[in-house]
Amino acid sequence: MKTYAIVCKQDQESITLSEKLKEQLNTFLTYNEKEPDIVISVGGDGTMLYSVHKYIDAIDRVAFIGIHTGTLGFLTDYQRDEYLQLVLDIQNGQHRIYERHLLEVSCLEGTYFALNEVRIENNRRSQVMDVYINDEYFETFRGNGLCVSTPVGSTAYNKSLGGAVINTCTGLMQLSEIAGIHHNAYRSLGS
């Protein structure tokens, strides 16, 4: 029998919906918060991002499904009033699984994973950074920082920086400048 867990935004609507889901899902699935096969995120995009980070150690074997009760719902698959459809889709094996790409970042403090984006940023003073892609020198950047986004994150902070929206089915990443310095002496990605 398959197992599931629910990660829920802590507002009354999401908590109530989670209880309704458990009642329905417990008829054919087993609730197992430690080792789920399916993680259902009830909330918005922030709850989905939290769900991914909560189960990051099992990311290669867990499927994530989102029900939207929050403010942003780009990462959710179902609306709050479609929860019975979600139950039927899981029961009948009709839910689709899409693979998403994560960014892995290693630094002195450790290794981190991101579903949206990673930023190297200092809003108090300009930075000078040598940028390498696949160990090959790309450019020297001068400015407040850089944002590297996945296709999922291309609609988030990256877009507000003027970056493009990328189809989530692609394996692309995007590099966007944060307040880059551009003049005769310094030319970078933005130029």
Side-chain angles (χ1 to χ4, degrees):
M1 183 175 272
K2 282 195 166 199
T3 59
Y4 78 99
I6 294 177
V7 176
C8 178
K9 181 179 176 185
Q10 294 303 298
D11 65 82
Q12 194 54 53
E13 179 183 13
S14 300
I15 292 168
T16 301
L17 184 56
S18 293
E19 291 167 0
K20 290 179 181 179
L21 274 168
K22 279 184 184 178
E23 186 180 308
Q24 296 291 319
L25 292 170
N26 284 342
T27 62
F28 62 95
L29 295 177
T30 303
Y31 190 82
N32 184 339
E33 202 168 315
K34 292 189 189 240
E35 294 185 21
D37 297 311
I38 299 170
V39 173
I40 300 169
S41 171
V42 180
D45 288 351
T47 309
M48 179 61 82
L49 292 171
Y50 177 77
S51 301
V52 169
H53 284 282
K54 182 175 180 174
Y55 290 99
I56 197 74
D57 293 335
I59 198 79
D60 57 339
R61 64 170 185 75
V62 174
F64 295 87
I65 301 172
I67 297 183
H68 179 64
T69 62
T71 8
L72 292 176
F74 295 111
L75 301 176
T76 56
D77 307 296
Y78 295 85
Q79 295 298 317
R80 59 180 58 93
D81 59 344
E82 298 174 323
Y83 81 94
L84 289 174
Q85 184 62 52
L86 166 64
V87 171
L88 286 173
D89 288 350
I90 292 172
Q91 189 172 26
N92 297 326
Q94 297 297 315
H95 59 284
R96 286 193 240 165
I97 296 176
Y98 301 96
E99 290 198 14
R100 301 290 184 242
H101 299 278
L102 293 174
L103 292 172
E104 180 179 355
V105 178
S106 297
C107 60
L108 296 175
E109 291 83 24
T111 300
Y112 301 93
F113 294 91
L115 183 60
N116 267 3
E117 78 271 326
V118 173
R119 296 186 313 250
I120 301 169
E121 184 174 17
N122 185 338
N123 61 3
R124 292 193 175 132
R125 64 183 182 97
S126 294
Q127 302 180 84
V128 178
M129 293 184 268
D130 288 332
V131 179
Y132 289 81
I133 298 175
N134 294 330
D135 295 324
E136 188 173 322
Y137 176 76
F138 179 66
E139 72 170 16
T140 298
F141 169 79
R142 289 163 180 83
N144 285 19
L146 292 169
C147 174
V148 180
S149 71
T150 65
V152 170
S154 71
T155 60
Y157 190 65
N158 169 72
K159 187 170 184 313
S160 71
L161 293 171
V165 174
I166 301 173
N167 185 315
T168 56
C169 297
T170 64
L172 302 174
M173 292 187 296
Q174 186 168 183
L175 180 66
S176 299
E177 296 180 336
I178 302 170
I181 297 172
H182 308 283
H183 55 67
N184 290 341
Y186 302 124
R187 299 270 187 227
S188 68
L189 185 63
S191 302

